[in-house]
């Protein structure tokens, strides 16, 4: 069992930065692929980024490439999402998730993730 708690969301102006954190409980954190998804009202949850268990593989949704960076610290059971050059379109509730597959296509599929956090709100004003 893995419990995930996101933090770091908030209100920021366009062009600003935020760093989201996702703290995990359990000793098996280092074996999981970790992903970030986001959701706005009335829309489906969408993939943002993912990182393999060792941190050597990373994946990004096209619209965030070059602006967002995912990383992890297995010693701290934490995964991060550094978000730079934020735009109003990044406004959403951001979720982290833990899954087992580490491939370009699998990390984008919600159902492959076994555990989810409650989300942290990111609001970008224009």
């Amino acid at each position: 069992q893995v419990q995930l708690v996101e933090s770091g969301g908030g209100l920021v102006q366009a062009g600003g930065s935020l760093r989201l954190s996702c703290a995990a409980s359990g000793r098996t954190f280092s074996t999981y692929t970790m992903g970030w998804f986001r959701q706005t009202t009335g829309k489906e949850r969408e993939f943002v980024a993912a990182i393999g268990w060792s941190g050597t593989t990373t994946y990004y949704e096209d619209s965030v490439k070059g602006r967002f960076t995912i990383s992890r610290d297995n010693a701290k059971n934490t995964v991060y999402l550094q978000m730079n050059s934020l735009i109003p379109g990044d406004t959403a509730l951001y979720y982290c998730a833990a899954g087992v597959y580490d491939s370009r296509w699998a990390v984008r599929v919600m159902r492959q993730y076994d555990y989810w956090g409650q989300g942290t709100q990111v609001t970008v004003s224009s």
Side-chain angles (χ1 to χ4, degrees):
Q1 187 78 8
V2 175
Q3 293 184 326
L4 304 173
V5 179
E6 302 95 334
S7 61
L11 173 64
V12 64
Q13 288 188 333
S17 298
L18 284 174
R19 188 175 83 154
L20 305 184
S21 298
C22 174
S25 65
R27 291 177 289 180
T28 58
F29 171 80
S30 62
T31 67
Y32 283 96
T33 292
M34 298 300 297
W36 285 97
F37 286 73
R38 64 188 181 186
Q39 188 171 21
T40 55
T41 303
K43 294 188 177 181
E44 292 187 355
R45 198 169 297 186
E46 65 174 7
F47 170 75
V48 176
I51 186 166
W53 67 271
S54 67
T56 58
T57 54
T58 57
Y59 310 89
Y60 296 94
E61 192 268 332
D62 286 347
S63 69
V64 307
K65 283 181 182 177
R67 300 189 299 121
F68 291 9
T69 303
I70 189 170
S71 62
R72 67 189 298 162
D73 185 337
N74 286 342
K76 295 183 178 180
N77 279 13
T78 303
V79 62
Y80 305 98
L81 186 67
Q82 177 66 44
M83 306 186 296
N84 299 328
S85 302
L86 284 160
I87 61 176
D90 294 320
T91 295
L93 187 60
Y94 283 72
Y95 297 90
C96 71
V100 297
Y101 297 104
D102 180 1
S103 75
R104 178 182 178 185
W105 301 113
V107 296
R108 288 166 166 80
V109 179
M110 284 181 54
R111 65 177 179 271
Q112 82 95 350
Y113 290 89
D114 298 317
Y115 303 102
W116 290 83
Q118 294 300 305
T120 185
Q121 178 67 38
V122 171
T123 303
V124 184
S125 64
S126 58

